[in-house]
Amino acid sequence: MLGKLVPYLCISCAMGAVLFVILRWVFFIPILGSLTALALASFLYIFALLSLGLLISTKAENIMQSFQMTMAILLPTVFFSGFIFPAKPCRGFFTPSAPCCPRPTSSN
């Protein structure tokens, strides 16, 4: 299965590198911190997303199931991240699970 991910991983990492170059040299936005840590974090994020997509496409028997699985992962991530609703008022079960979702850059 890793052989299916490698080409897309290489293309995505190259696109990320091009975006970082454009960010730095075209828009003159400084990249603070370690470039190695940024590259490693980008690599791990891309690998995780590609692996999730491969898992969904492997387990789904048809395209409708793949849509449902994608929505089952996407909707809680969007709602609990604080992007639409604030995550602080979450009560009960959702209180410990809300920090596990990625946070938007605009949240306080």
Side-chain angles (χ1 to χ4, degrees):
M1 290 296 192
L2 188 61
K4 290 185 176 187
L5 290 181
V6 171
Y8 297 106
L9 187 63
C10 292
I11 291 169
S12 299
C13 287
M15 288 174 59
V18 168
L19 288 174
F20 291 142
V21 168
I22 290 171
L23 176 85
R24 176 65 183 104
W25 299 109
V26 174
F27 295 114
F28 302 109
I29 298 173
I31 299 174
L32 303 176
S34 171
L35 289 177
T36 306
L38 180 63
L40 180 65
S42 299
F43 175 81
L44 292 175
Y45 184 73
I46 292 168
F47 183 76
L49 289 180
L50 287 173
S51 298
L52 181 63
L54 185 63
L55 175 70
I56 289 172
S57 66
T58 302
K59 294 296 179 185
E61 294 179 9
N62 55 38
I63 196 162
M64 289 306 293
Q65 282 184 353
S66 67
F67 287 152
Q68 290 174 347
M69 288 179 196
T70 303
M71 286 300 130
I73 294 169
L74 180 68
L75 287 177
T77 302
V78 170
F79 286 131
F80 295 148
S81 69
F83 188 72
I84 295 176
F85 304 109
K88 294 216 185 249
C90 290
R91 302 260 191 278
F93 166 77
F94 302 113
T95 303
S97 64
C100 297
C101 296
R103 307 292 288 168
T105 57
S106 63
S107 73
N108 295 332

